[in-house]
Amino acid sequence: MKKEHMKKQYPHWCGVLLLYLMACITSCQDDKISSNGYDPSKPVVFTDFSPSKGSLRTQLHIYGENFGNDPSKIQITIGGRSTTTIGCNNNEIYCMVPPKAFDGDIKVSIESADGTASPIEYEFEKRFQYVAQTSVGTLVGNEDEQGNSSDVDGDFEKARFGNTEWLLMDTFGIQKCLIVNGFKGPIRRINLETQEVSTLMTEGQGLFGGMYYMCFDATGDTLFVSDDHGQNNKDRREIAYLLRSEDFRRARPYVYDRTGYSCAYQPLTKTLYYSIYWQGTIDRVVFDPTTQGW
């Protein structure tokens, strides 16, 4: 009698169940890794950074493992100065060195994916060597297509300068400003806080022959301006003064003398020195403490 080997038949639902169990196992494994690439079952490891030294805007790379790939979750300070995390993946973080990061300590904080757990914080033992570097750039002012410019007031985007020769830092007022003028040009104020340029005094308004160098007194309440009137006599005003209380918008005579180009104030003795073109002398106006006058 011939034996026949019969294949065992399994119900169809057994195959479906097997596929379902495999999917569940795979899903459970995937749940260990968050959507941003961070695996909570593994530690976050920091290994190194490069370069070891540099200046402002140096590209800095931080290396390690399990960082995730969401830059918004990563905060970095270098030398106590915050910087923006530009990009990252599980093994590398990329940022730029901020200004004045002199201390060089590098601290990294990584928030949890869902924001519930405490952030992971790390500080490198090795320090970044910050190299101070001179940075040169245009603060305000520009030229037209033909390379020409003129005196135009307004914000830093619109303002222009036609003839800038002398510059003073005004740190006495509420807001930090620069005072600028030039021969045959106006006195103008560059407000560093509001980023606005305005005209204080024109030559015609102040009856100047030709405005030259300027200086402040010890308090910053008085601005002295030399006047190149071009005369070899003492009939014309050589030094004018403008008051902060009047927003430096009125010029009064201070010294009548022959034409000159510059002045300098000595605060301890309250003496104003000024130069004379004719015969090349340096003259002075001395404060009299008895009369409280000059």
Side-chain angles (χ1 to χ4, degrees), residues 113-288:
D114 57 7
T116 58
S118 299
I120 297 168
E121 297 182 345
Y122 182 83
E123 179 177 356
F124 282 93
E125 292 185 6
K126 182 176 69 172
R127 297 209 164 202
F128 177 80
Q129 183 180 347
Y130 184 81
V131 180
Q133 188 176 34
T134 301
S135 179
V136 179
T138 298
L139 172 68
V140 57
N142 53 67
E143 299 175 339
D144 60 19
E145 295 78 4
Q146 287 75 40
N148 301 316
S149 187
S150 58
D151 294 311
V152 178
D153 289 346
D155 59 33
F156 278 15
E157 292 295 325
K158 300 177 182 177
R160 292 185 177 185
F161 298 87
N163 184 23
T164 55
E165 296 187 73
W166 300 281
L167 194 65
L168 284 181
M169 174 64 75
D170 180 8
T171 59
F172 301 97
I174 297 176
Q175 296 177 324
K176 303 301 180 288
C177 302
L178 295 171
I179 306 296
V180 59
N181 77 341
F183 184 61
K184 296 295 183 182
I187 298 176
R188 305 176 72 197
R189 176 165 51 207
I190 304 171
N191 192 313
L192 300 176
E193 297 185 22
T194 64
Q195 297 192 347
E196 293 282 339
V197 178
S198 58
T199 297
L200 302 178
M201 173 77 63
T202 65
E203 283 227 314
Q205 290 172 331
L207 300 178
F208 285 93
M211 284 191 284
Y212 252 81
Y213 190 76
M214 309 171 293
C215 69
F216 281 112
D217 71 346
T219 64
D221 292 331
T222 304
L223 179 65
F224 300 106
V225 184
S226 297
D227 188 1
D228 176 16
H229 53 68
Q231 302 297 314
N232 185 17
N233 58 63
K234 297 186 178 183
D235 299 331
R236 298 284 299 272
R237 180 192 65 190
E238 166 49 22
I239 303 292
Y241 73 97
L242 294 74
L243 299 177
R244 185 179 298 275
S245 60
E246 299 174 337
D247 202 25
F248 305 121
R249 295 183 184 274
R250 179 180 177 184
R252 291 183 171 89
Y254 194 74
V255 174
Y256 287 88
D257 210 329
R258 295 165 293 177
T259 194
Y261 304 132
S262 62
C263 57
Y265 186 82
Q266 214 293 336
L268 296 179
T269 60
K270 298 183 179 179
T271 301
L272 180 72
Y273 297 90
Y274 62 97
S275 64
I276 294 297
Y277 171 75
W278 306 98
Q279 299 178 353
T281 61
I282 305 297
D283 291 6
R284 63 177 180 171
V285 183
V286 181
F287 178 77
D288 185 351

Side-chain angles (χ1 to χ4, degrees), residues 32-99:
K32 294 181 181 179
I33 302 176
S34 67
S35 60
N36 74 339
Y38 168 68
D39 187 347
S41 67
K42 295 180 180 180
V44 175
V45 179
F46 294 86
T47 58
D48 200 1
F49 64 83
S50 69
S52 59
K53 65 179 181 179
S55 58
L56 168 66
R57 293 190 292 275
T58 294
Q59 298 180 6
L60 186 74
H61 299 265
I62 297 174
Y63 304 105
E65 299 175 6
N66 204 25
F67 292 149
N69 54 28
D70 186 354
S72 67
K73 300 291 184 181
I74 303 175
Q75 285 76 45
I76 304 171
T77 63
I78 304 174
R81 302 278 178 166
S82 298
T83 184
T84 301
T85 303
I86 299 174
C88 67
N89 55 43
N90 254 352
N91 304 105
E92 183 177 347
I93 301 170
Y94 165 52
C95 65
M96 300 187 78
V97 176

Side-chain angles (χ1 to χ4, degrees), residues 1-5:
M1 183 175 176
K2 187 176 179 181
K3 292 183 177 181
E4 292 185 0
H5 296 281

